[in-house]
Amino acid sequence: HVQLVESGGGSVQDGGSLRLSCQVSGLSFDAYCISWSRQAPGKEREGVLGLAAGGQNAYYTESVKQRFTLSRHIGKNILYLVMNHLKPEDSATYYCSARRRQTGDDCTTPPTQYDYQGQGTQVTVS
């Protein structure tokens, strides 16, 4: 039974920080591309940051470079999205998602479809 459960959202002031957690169960990090995406009201969903093959950060959105990063707790199967220097335009519902890796797929391209996703966690920056 696959589950992706996000937590850690909340309200912060402009310039603040948050750490979102994605508890992953029922699938392997090696077999799936795990990533974070977000959707603000009235806007399309956009990929933010993914865990590339080899453990590097794969940035899907230019605006979060130098501010967001991923961290992984291997033993607990948790993928963290660490967000610093938050801006009001970062306000959105953030989703943790998984896409099955294909042959030759290093997870560096923004996902256009997901096999599994969590329920989302709300981030508000004001």
Side-chain angles (χ1 to χ4, degrees):
H1 178 59
V2 176
Q3 275 194 310
L4 303 171
V5 181
E6 304 98 333
S7 61
S11 296
V12 296
Q13 291 187 335
D14 190 353
S17 298
L18 279 175
R19 187 182 74 167
L20 306 184
S21 300
C22 175
Q23 177 69 64
V24 178
S25 59
L27 60 79
S28 165
F29 276 71
D30 292 331
Y32 285 81
C33 296
I34 313 297
S35 65
W36 286 92
S37 59
R38 66 187 180 186
Q39 188 165 20
K43 295 188 177 181
E44 290 188 358
R45 183 164 167 173
E46 65 172 351
V48 176
L49 192 55
L51 189 64
Q56 298 93 346
N57 288 351
Y59 287 93
Y60 305 141
T61 298
E62 191 71 23
S63 66
V64 306
K65 286 184 177 180
Q66 309 303 323
R67 300 188 298 121
F68 292 10
T69 190
L70 295 177
S71 176
R72 180 181 168 190
H73 192 306
I74 296 176
K76 294 185 178 181
N77 273 356
I78 299 174
L79 184 67
Y80 299 104
L81 177 63
V82 180
M83 306 186 294
N84 296 312
H85 305 294
L86 282 161
K87 305 175 181 181
E89 51 264 41
D90 295 318
S91 297
T93 300
Y94 283 71
Y95 298 93
C96 179
S97 306
R99 172 176 62 82
R100 190 174 290 108
R101 288 182 63 182
Q102 307 299 316
T103 301
D105 186 354
D106 62 1
C107 305
T108 56
T109 55
T112 57
Q113 57 87 23
Y114 308 95
D115 293 295
Y116 304 99
Q117 74 170 38
Q119 80 289 350
T121 185
Q122 180 69 40
V123 172
T124 302
V125 186
S126 59

